[in-house]
């Protein structure tokens, strides 16, 4: 798979995360804003990772570095998302 195709696949993967960010932050509560922020940061990481992968353009070391940083950033944001959900006040209605 060449750099352009891989970058496009990663960038297209960020679009649903951006849609979830808009959807989850629609009611404006602090909990929802935090969820929306984390989903938007995940989408931003995917877009920046796609650009960096395109700029690495076949250099093996650069490609591995971009993928490693992208995996670490997405997983760190995923953990932050789960911890944010667990910090919800007791009695918060869940939909």
């Amino acid at each position: 798979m060449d750099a352009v195709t891989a970058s496009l696949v990663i960038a297209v993967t960020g679009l649903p995360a951006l849609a979830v960010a808009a959807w989850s932050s629609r009611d404006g509560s602090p909990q929802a804003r935090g969820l929306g922020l984390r989903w938007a940061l995940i989408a931003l990481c995917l877009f920046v990772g796609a650009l960096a992968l395109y700029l690495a353009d076949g250099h093996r070391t650069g490609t591995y570095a971009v993928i490693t940083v992208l995996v670490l950033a997405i997983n760190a944001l995923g953990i932050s998302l789960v911890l944010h959900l667990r910090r919800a006040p007791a009695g918060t209605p869940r939909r």
Side-chain angles (χ1 to χ4, degrees), residues 69-81:
V69 169
L70 187 60
V71 166
L72 291 174
I74 296 297
N75 283 320
L77 285 168
I79 290 169
S80 172
L81 184 72

Side-chain angles (χ1 to χ4, degrees), residues 1-80:
M1 185 180 299
D2 62 338
V4 174
T5 306
S7 297
L8 283 175
V9 167
I10 291 174
V12 168
T13 304
L15 293 176
L18 200 56
V20 170
W23 179 77
S24 66
S25 64
R26 67 180 188 247
D27 71 352
S29 69
Q31 184 74 12
R33 284 194 315 250
L35 287 176
L37 173 68
R38 283 160 178 83
W39 276 107
L41 288 174
I42 289 171
L44 180 66
C45 281
L46 287 169
F47 294 146
V48 170
L51 178 65
L53 189 63
Y54 176 73
L55 293 175
D57 195 27
H59 295 219
R60 185 178 299 256
T61 306
T63 301
Y64 287 152
V66 168
I67 296 300
T68 301
V69 169
L70 187 60
V71 166
L72 291 174
I74 296 297
N75 283 320
L77 285 168
I79 290 169
S80 172

